[in-house]
Amino acid sequence: MELRKHIIAGNWKMYKTTTEVVAWAEKFNLGSFRRDDIEMVVFAPFTVLHVLNGFSRTGRFGVGAQDLYPGTFGAFTGEVSGPMLRDAGVQWVLVGHSERRSLFGEDHRFLAAKLRSALEFGLRPVYCVGETLQQRENQTHLDTVATQVKEVLAGLDEEQAASVVVAYEPVWAIGTGRTATVAQAEEMHAFIRETLTLLFGSVSQAIPILYGGSVKASNARELFQSPNIDGALVGGASLDPQEFQAIAASC
Ligand code: PGA
């Protein structure tokens, strides 16, 4: 039995207006790509979640937000909570993307609170981890990622752990056109799986681990052949619906 479904997720970051989303979704839904063994998800800006949701049933893709604030409601100007996302039809949320860590100073405590809040309100979190180039060059990449995994995920119960998706995105590969080699990615994915097994025992086998960082249709197939790479988190290339489907078709 296949324990983990492959997941191909697009992270649109701060791109796309309503008109652009409609054009993207119309093209996506016209595409011939259909595979029941793959889940597709799009992480879109808050302002277009509703629009995207309207297309998600026919397109058979899930809708995700790129961030959430822990809790239900309150005096937190500019923030959006899990229940508000659910109300907008959202099922997924990103937590710990490297841009949130580095540009917005989000630390492990805050990320742990966000992740727990996502689970509490029935959103499936994709928790992102990954080392900087300097950490890889100093040979501290494994320790860095182990700490990111443990500090945020430790303490989840089995049911919660089984709902989490992990995305390994080396910071030096994000938006740079430089992808990790298959050997580098597979080494890290196997290591993340070991770390998850230390935390959650056999439940770790149910946790998909996605690769992210300059994934395109031209390099996806090679990556997906690795046993511990369960799909991809795709930034730039997901902005084009045909390229995004071509990546999924490489699974
Ligand atoms: P990229 O971004 O595919 O454009 O490198 C990946 C990400 O940041 O999730």
Side-chain angles (χ1 to χ4, degrees), residues 11 13 94 97-99 128 169 173-177 212-215 233-238:
N11 173 13
K13 309 193 181 187
L94 290 179
H97 189 279
S98 75
E99 286 150 18
C128 307
E169 299 199 299
I174 296 177
T176 57
S214 299
V215 174
L233 181 56
V234 186
S238 70

Side-chain angles (χ1 to χ4, degrees), residues 29 43 79 87 93 105 108 123 140 151 189-190 192 220-221 223:
N29 289 1
F43 291 93
E79 296 299 324
D87 183 52
V93 68
H108 286 143
L123 293 162
T140 54
E151 297 249 326
H189 281 233
I192 292 172
R221 188 174 301 278
L223 288 162

